[in-house]
Amino acid sequence: MSHLFQTYARWDITPERAQGSWLTGHNGKRYLDFTAGIGVLNLGHRPREVEQAIQDQLGLYWHTSNLFQQPLQENLADVLSFYSGLDCAFFCNSGAEANEAAIKLAKKATGRKKILSCLQSFHGRTYATMGATGQEKVRTGYGPMLDAFDYVAFNDCEDLLRKADNDTAAILIEIIQGEGGIHCADSTFIQTVKDAAKAVGALIIIDEVQTGIGRTGKPFAFQHYDLSPDIITVAKGLANGLPIGAMLGKKELAPYFSAGSHGSTFGGNPISVAAAQSVLNIALQDDFLMEVEKKGKWLLNALDASMKECGDVIEIRGLGLMVGIEMVYEVKDVLLDLQKEGLLVLNAGPNVIRLLPPLNVSESELEYAVTIMAERLNGG
């Protein structure tokens, strides 16, 4: 028997090695990996520059504690501040921890209890972030959640205005609902978030865990809109596979996270921070981001063109290299069929195929993936 808790429905694939956009299983079969570790490997498997940064730091020291001065953290915080427009960073180990920190900071800074988030959102699996997640299946079986979470329908301006009140500490949203089916926020909803927050004195928190670090063709997805959030959270793509998360906030919030108010033993680990610095040196450059935007538009257009006659496709949507194909049926078997053809993709809910290729994926790899998917979805 396995001595692992069976918390994952694992595929029948055992990775042996990987490089770039490709993963090789133990049986020698090669797969074009459009899962990117669920949006983590923004530069693909084992990018040379990041691997070198990790090796260099391994030769110096692996861990001390956050009681020491941390120039590596200071440098990474400077870069994140420059590209986000926010002022202060708290480093942790994951997106859930970053969102947990954001919820704590918002409640402490405002003295209020309620967090508004969206139905079909996903913000993590800690007790607070389960409560913030607008999907009942994530909370099932765990008893009462922490109080003072409420949910609005995504892109429903009237619902948001109705539920935002003087006890609302923050409005927490994703610019693109990843786990919820690759749904993009519309500009009217974002304006309503701004208006509602201003009217009741609430903070705006943007969960960039899956959308950040260039995934949508901007450093952060909120930058596609006229929006200046008070807090953002990042994690997945930040260190290209090493565990790290970050909460970024405006300088006005700094006094509420003073010494002893929050912490993380492994947060900002020097190996992860070195990897993250190397990632940002590549992934947030203008030329690189322009290529992501170009590839994303090509992918959407190619999918539309190749599947326009497929009656089972409801909609193809996304931004940058975060794309969803909504089908009339559940897609679990489609994922397995594509694996047999050497393509790894994800689902986002039962009916949506989710594509999260590395941001440096080649044009030929995109073409190959579109061909395989078109053959399967068009009945090939």
Side-chain angles (χ1 to χ4, degrees), residues 22-255:
W22 296 85
L23 180 147
T24 303
H26 69 286
N27 58 358
K29 184 175 178 63
R30 295 180 77 234
Y31 301 89
L32 180 57
D33 186 0
F34 272 33
T35 73
I38 313 184
V40 167
L41 302 167
N42 280 11
L43 300 181
H45 293 278
R46 296 181 56 223
R48 179 179 56 81
E49 299 91 341
V50 180
E51 187 169 303
Q52 187 62 56
I54 293 167
Q55 291 175 350
D56 290 346
Q57 185 58 40
L58 280 169
L60 298 175
Y61 62 97
W62 300 0
H63 177 77
T64 54
S65 84
N66 286 309
L67 297 175
F68 288 81
Q69 297 296 321
Q70 297 279 1
L72 286 171
Q73 289 185 13
E74 294 283 357
N75 293 339
L76 182 58
D78 286 348
V79 176
L80 288 169
S81 176
F82 175 81
Y83 283 103
S84 69
L86 297 167
D87 304 297
C88 301
F90 172 81
F91 292 113
C92 50
N93 304 293
S94 68
E97 288 185 31
N99 284 329
E100 184 93 13
I103 291 166
K104 288 177 66 173
L105 179 58
K107 288 190 171 187
K108 190 173 185 183
T110 63
R112 299 175 177 185
K113 296 180 180 179
K114 186 166 76 173
I115 303 290
L116 276 181
S117 63
C118 291
L119 294 171
Q120 294 305 116
S121 62
F122 183 84
H123 300 292
R125 295 183 184 274
T126 65
Y127 245 89
T129 57
M130 274 199 304
T133 292
Q135 298 188 53
E136 185 60 35
K137 66 180 182 181
V138 173
R139 304 189 293 267
T140 299
Y142 292 106
M145 293 292 103
L146 300 177
D147 61 1
F149 288 101
D150 200 0
Y151 315 101
V152 302
F154 192 59
N155 283 332
D156 189 327
C157 298
E158 291 184 5
D159 197 19
L160 175 60
L161 291 172
R162 184 167 52 250
K163 291 179 179 176
D165 58 28
N166 291 331
D167 196 34
T168 303
I171 301 170
L172 166 61
I173 66 167
E174 300 160 282
I175 296 297
I176 304 174
Q177 289 192 324
E179 305 299 323
I182 315 297
H183 294 283
C184 300
D186 61 48
S187 57
T188 303
F189 184 66
I190 294 298
Q191 183 60 50
T192 304
V193 169
K194 292 166 58 179
D195 293 343
K198 183 177 181 180
V200 302
L203 301 178
I204 297 174
I205 304 173
I206 305 298
D207 181 335
E208 294 269 6
V209 169
Q210 192 165 150
T211 54
I213 320 301
R215 174 58 59 181
T216 67
K218 299 279 189 185
F220 302 99
F222 78 84
Q223 292 165 336
H224 290 277
Y225 303 82
D226 178 20
L227 179 62
S228 177
D230 299 285
I231 298 171
I232 70 171
T233 56
V234 296
K236 283 181 178 288
L238 184 53
N240 212 75
L242 272 69
I244 192 171
M247 179 198 67
L248 311 178
K250 290 183 175 178
K251 59 181 180 295
E252 293 85 0
L253 300 173

Side-chain angles (χ1 to χ4, degrees), residues 354-373:
R354 178 172 31 160
L355 310 179
L356 296 170
L359 304 186
N360 53 1
V361 63
S362 70
E363 292 181 8
S364 62
E365 289 166 343
L366 288 171
E367 291 171 357
Y368 181 62
V370 170
T371 299
I372 293 174
M373 286 187 289

Side-chain angles (χ1 to χ4, degrees), residues 330-353:
E330 293 192 5
V331 299
K332 180 180 178 181
D333 290 342
V334 175
L335 269 59
L336 297 178
D337 289 344
L338 293 175
Q339 288 176 15
K340 294 175 184 176
E341 299 301 319
L343 177 64
L344 303 178
V345 298
L346 298 160
N347 66 299
N351 289 58
V352 177
I353 300 167

